[in-house]
Amino acid sequence: MDQHDPRIADLGFARVDVDRAARTGDPEVVYGAGKTPDQVVAILRALHDKHPERAVLATRLAPEALDIVGAALPDATVDLVARAVTLGPLPTARGTVAVVSAGTSDAPVAAEAALTVAVHGAAVDRIDDVGVAGLHRLLGVRDRLAAADCLIVVAGMEGALPSVVGGLTGVPIVAVPTSVGYGASLGGIAALLAMLNSCAPGVTVVNIDNGYGAGVHAARVARQSVPR
Amino acid sequence: MDQHDPRIADLGFARVDVDRAARTGDPEVVYGAGKTPDQVVAILRALHDKHPERAVLATRLAPEALDIVGAALPDATVDLVARAVTLGPLPTARGTVAVVSAGTSDAPVAAEAALTVAVHGAAVDRIDDVGVAGLHRLLGVRDRLAAADCLIVVAGMEGALPSVVGGLTGVPIVAVPTSVGYGASLGGIAALLAMLNSCAPGVTVVNIDNGYGAGVHAARVARQSVPR
Amino acid sequence: MDQHDPRIADLGFARVDVDRAARTGDPEVVYGAGKTPDQVVAILRALHDKHPERAVLATRLAPEALDIVGAALPDATVDLVARAVTLGPLPTARGTVAVVSAGTSDAPVAAEAALTVAVHGAAVDRIDDVGVAGLHRLLGVRDRLAAADCLIVVAGMEGALPSVVGGLTGVPIVAVPTSVGYGASLGGIAALLAMLNSCAPGVTVVNIDNGYGAGVHAARVARQSVPR
Amino acid sequence: MDQHDPRIADLGFARVDVDRAARTGDPEVVYGAGKTPDQVVAILRALHDKHPERAVLATRLAPEALDIVGAALPDATVDLVARAVTLGPLPTARGTVAVVSAGTSDAPVAAEAALTVAVHGAAVDRIDDVGVAGLHRLLGVRDRLAAADCLIVVAGMEGALPSVVGGLTGVPIVAVPTSVGYGASLGGIAALLAMLNSCAPGVTVVNIDNGYGAGVHAARVARQSVPR
Amino acid sequence: MDQHDPRIADLGFARVDVDRAARTGDPEVVYGAGKTPDQVVAILRALHDKHPERAVLATRLAPEALDIVGAALPDATVDLVARAVTLGPLPTARGTVAVVSAGTSDAPVAAEAALTVAVHGAAVDRIDDVGVAGLHRLLGVRDRLAAADCLIVVAGMEGALPSVVGGLTGVPIVAVPTSVGYGASLGGIAALLAMLNSCAPGVTVVNIDNGYGAGVHAARVARQSVPR
Amino acid sequence: MDQHDPRIADLGFARVDVDRAARTGDPEVVYGAGKTPDQVVAILRALHDKHPERAVLATRLAPEALDIVGAALPDATVDLVARAVTLGPLPTARGTVAVVSAGTSDAPVAAEAALTVAVHGAAVDRIDDVGVAGLHRLLGVRDRLAAADCLIVVAGMEGALPSVVGGLTGVPIVAVPTSVGYGASLGGIAALLAMLNSCAPGVTVVNIDNGYGAGVHAARVARQSVPR
Amino acid sequence: MDQHDPRIADLGFARVDVDRAARTGDPEVVYGAGKTPDQVVAILRALHDKHPERAVLATRLAPEALDIVGAALPDATVDLVARAVTLGPLPTARGTVAVVSAGTSDAPVAAEAALTVAVHGAAVDRIDDVGVAGLHRLLGVRDRLAAADCLIVVAGMEGALPSVVGGLTGVPIVAVPTSVGYGASLGGIAALLAMLNSCAPGVTVVNIDNGYGAGVHAARVARQSVPR
Amino acid sequence: MDQHDPRIADLGFARVDVDRAARTGDPEVVYGAGKTPDQVVAILRALHDKHPERAVLATRLAPEALDIVGAALPDATVDLVARAVTLGPLPTARGTVAVVSAGTSDAPVAAEAALTVAVHGAAVDRIDDVGVAGLHRLLGVRDRLAAADCLIVVAGMEGALPSVVGGLTGVPIVAVPTSVGYGASLGGIAALLAMLNSCAPGVTVVNIDNGYGAGVHAARVARQSVPR
């Protein structure tokens, strides 16, 4: 492989794939876990230099990393709930993704999903605190569910929300189990298994707490949907 | 221990505890799995001889065992769906247990629960096929849920039904996960974990497919409840 | 859904369901894990304002949260062992729940269960340190077990206590596995599995360390029981 | 609930939800596992009578059930590989789903996915035997991958195919783990975990061997996509 | 290794270690699972020829293997419950092992343990059907428990019996979990975990259904104990 | 139960069973995990007051607890490696237990086992660093293995040592898996499973890191063995 | 991809990669599980036609498949123990692989490994029945271990053999866990975990019962080794 | 065992096997986890004194241990990424091992593998950041893969890289799963299972994060390979 392959930016500690947009149409993203704040800053800069016309995203940043990255990159936008940073202008939104969450504790995952959707070019409708133990809250938003091009449904504990939502609408659903819970929730495994076994057809699932992955899938679906 | 301890009936292959009613108020029950039909017949006879005035119950009988036991005990009542047999008169019912199930495949477990409730002295209200993917079915029976003294909620796959029911009513709930499902349902573990992590307060859980255990608990609760 | 739906209190960071009492008859409860002390205080105040005539409960508070909440809400009652706080007057008790625990280390879970029972309107009889390795302690309290309307049995390690209690009495039992143990206890999974497989009929189970869930179920059963 | 609720067809052994199309836009489907061939025939007939203008689908039929159902319903189309039956005319296809599979043993799951897509109103492009151990086969079909509106990627064993496909294209992907494998494949758990942890963004996952669920999601996405 | 090593008997399909007695003092044993009846007969003959003065044991024989081995070796003793065969005279017993079991379904494992103890040179006291849900049965045999040199305690389901026995006596205990149970018993894992976490000190554990292993350990302990 | 039951010492925070010696012949032991140093001191004092003539043992003490307990009880003996404390004179030893360990990291568990053996009245022979990857070390101590009345074999990682020791001698063996390892050792589960599946007959097993439980069993065996 | 790609043989039910030898130097192999005997015959014929000068291998054939394939391909060699078939001449052997197995029940896996080695071009030395519970058998073959270019070590149950062999020699080792065992062997998971945690350095592991995979790796190593 | 056995160095806290080189040809290695820096220094000195002519290796050192060991042993070489230290001259390299890694986060494991290879006498070719989601990077280095005598392939998350590499070349492969990932990666179990189920033949696997074990195996293979 040529050392000067333009599809790769060599930062010394990492050889960054700066070609993904060409292959997949998606923006570049930095997974911040396990990287130092300085490494995150360096990668964000390299990606932004390569693609200044569109936002790059860094996820899974610890609180202190959010501070350092925000200070080092004054043009960046810091989302404290999503624990994420964007640098560069958000794209124009095509289509809409509704991000539906069960409880207050699921907020960080829902926020990561929502920000990812925006960075990947779709509009977001946030619908929070509609857990299944108080159905009136969910039944009150049926119109907003039906108006979306794709749904991201975020829940921890028993992970029942996607099944109930899936019975109310035929919009494509991506379910995100969260690690909210204790004991036999097994760090989110209980919610993950529940979602994989949903009796509502067409529910697809991503990894525990993976708001980012759900956001990428849902934004792709929304972007390519016929406008209503 | 005295060989003639009246609390024990020695059948050779088993020493049967015929004293449980005295200690717990519940009828005698034969767990049929792993026993030959002849053993089931012998134990049922021994228990019936000891307590002719009330029903004894045998559960978990294979189809051929149901045939053999039914033929050997013409006075017995065979429940093919519940895979169970009763011998002796059912007690007068005090209180009501509603047995709620999610899907058609859950019928054997729901039937075992219902029969157990009846044998243990409470009335039964069966509410079937009210899975969460079609909420209108469940919302249509809210009055029957509220009228019960205890609820048994039976579901396989993602096991979401107890959480939704638990958000609709304050009646005590016993959830029964079933082994209905495949792949990541792990033989009912997914439903079991979901029910243990229910966000609805006060949901208690029994072993997978354990309609019997749920029935005993629910009947005890119903029997001692203040009549409405 | 109307922004002014009286069933929901919108605190900004959370939209609180203040309607549960109407649906289920139970008091409002705040699950404190994952919430800041300030959020707990705000939710307790909102619920207390809505329902000043009865106690609200906050559980799973870390030691420092107990301090802050206690200081911010001088009328609140802090239970250091249960790691919980109540605000508002306890209801008059109907019926009795005996809270039975195996060992000293199970005390926090037993205390959470006991406080939950009291907040939900039943009387409590605490029976501690009656683990199965010293049967004489348990056999000495058989009368108190039989006098209760519902039993909560708390145990970690091998989780055998509910089976032994269940053989001594016909009172409805809710078993609570605790995370007390090490190695192959798997954080309470060993006790949970044991309780789900209890050979004593009618034992129902809640999540590991879930004293709250057991308390809600048991209090409902006790409240509706015919007085003795 | 009214016994004559037109949204429910009561067959005695089951109360069938015949209203799903109205709520979700999807056709009715019978999950055949755990049902007798006669029950499958009865439900198919009831659904077909209600909706004669569009296909109904029965999945997970054992070989002998396929024979019986095919004989009882001469107008039905039997798919031996997919172990499924359709009754009624397939809808006109909108959009295209490419069903990509790794190995010969994955054929039943891929066939179930493909038939489900067709019944749910999208065109299918089958791409088989493109496992990652022979990359030239996959690289040879990049144009067909890019031309689809949604991809279903089916693989057992190590489940690596979705990650590799996901690096080649930005089309939305649904990954289906299969139970093909032995030993540490744990009945498909290894492939399921791999797909949930895919390093390629936007891969969503369904239950092991759940070609049906993947087909529903993918067809919904394809149907609503802007024609190319 | 010399082909004529007298410590090894070469049967073609197996090279049998005929030296174990010299190293460990224990008799030779054939593990029958996975071997054809003819192989079991051949190995039993080879071991019996080598050590005609003491019994050899074959365990884990299927019902048809028991028939064939019994017919081929008329001098052998067949134990249908233990699914085992002995050939050659039992040794004189030194010390006593009490084999305690919880329920009727545990009989095969208890029988295997008891026969193993006898073949390994200790006397056996069988105490059956003393499960913890009926404590009076167990409390009635305290003298027999205390009189043994070692206890084997056999139980399935929740596996609580060793903990209760361990609280009643200081005799060394070997606990044997059995695969009796269903659902969350996980084939005996629940009982195994419970026994490993016993709150009674000094309980040791063997593999699920491993009556043989428990018998070897207990017999060794009993044989070397000071006579009482 | 009488508040003045002499078999129980009520310390307020705990009701201590001071009767175990009468029932089982073993000394009293305090399990220190989850208790404050002050609680450990109080329980040790209560037990020592009750039984000044023999040692009481406290295990699983954190480093700071060892300091505090040692300072508060100047007559106590602190074992830093075993993380344990004894108070009162050790009993005269009858019989010998060899404590065999595989590697340096297993030392704390081996030390806990050895101290427990001494407190329970048997002599100890420590044999360390004889892991199976250097067989010459183990083969060099065969005589010491054969001279013991019971063996405790401690190993982490793959847990192979008990199988190899079990092939060398017929002395009763208690295997102790340790949590030494990483990744697929799963916190000691790998070693635990290996020991439960030992191909050497008569190996019994205790919980991960449970040197105490192994020590109790082994000491009981050694104490009752015929002197050699 | 061109339908006439010479690297792929299209058999209708499968598109066979006939190019692997060019990429990897290894012969073609048919994994028989899940394929009908007719499919195996067809694929063997296609591969043999493409590469008549060297052997092709079919593994994991059921007994009846072995019969049918043997009858359909009279030139094939059937290995009943390995449950495998070869067609075409074996290559000249370079280097030697010793296949070491613990017990008689491991023979099918050891035979599959040995046949795979031969088909992949290395000589085989079989060393059977050298389990760790009888070390003298293993110590007697140290010279043969040291003389090999690569070792395949096959064991079930506790899987200890690779650790012991790894302490005796510096020859590269591939460990193969087998599904031999019961209960807590978990179908070979116990042996697999043990081997992954081996304290002997340089032990690598393949899937449970995967004699084929071990054979490929070991033959590659042996073929490229400097002759001794 | 003689206290003066020259094969063992007794350091008081450990009895070190200094004979491994004689048995296996490999250098001595200190596993640093669970040892104090002083213990590591003492063992390294003892091994270096015994074998001053070749390097000894210490792995798994925490950052502060790296500082202390580096200061105490000025002649040592500290590798901060590999978290390891060597003391003494590296051997002359025979053969080449390519260490291939998927992502930046896998660097510590890849570095440990590479250093181990060098200490064990083979040359290293590092190929980093060639994860399967960007295949062009991997396809660009096919020549380097083919030129190696053995490949170590390091990957976390879904662990797909070894399968893809194994389809490109016939060089022996050792796969190393890493603990990089979250949620359903289960600390590296997902990658481990994927690698064990690789559809590419001949892939062998070591424990999660076990770069050292992979390095030992690969170096042995490379050292004995015919030079190209």
Side-chain angles (χ1 to χ4, degrees), chain H residues 37-100:
Chain H
D38 287 351
Q39 289 176 326
V40 173
V41 167
I43 300 177
L44 280 176
R45 278 201 180 118
L47 293 171
H48 185 58
D49 288 352
K50 188 82 178 181
H51 307 292
E53 76 287 357
R54 63 169 189 261
V56 292
L57 171 68
T59 64
R60 303 274 170 143
L61 300 177
E64 49 286 11
L66 287 169
D67 288 348
I68 297 172
V69 173
L73 299 171
D75 292 340
T77 304
V78 176
D79 184 328
L80 290 175
V81 178
R83 298 164 300 190
V85 165
T86 57
L87 182 62
L90 290 181
T92 305
R94 282 176 290 156
T96 300
V97 174
V99 178
V100 183

Side-chain angles (χ1 to χ4, degrees), chain D residues 133 157-158 160 163 167 184-185 194 197 199, chain H residues 133 157-158 160 163 167 184-185 194 197 199:
Chain D
M157 303 177 78
E158 82 274 62
S163 294
S185 95
N197 286 283
C199 60
Chain H
M157 304 178 78
E158 82 273 65
S163 295
S185 94
N197 285 285
C199 60

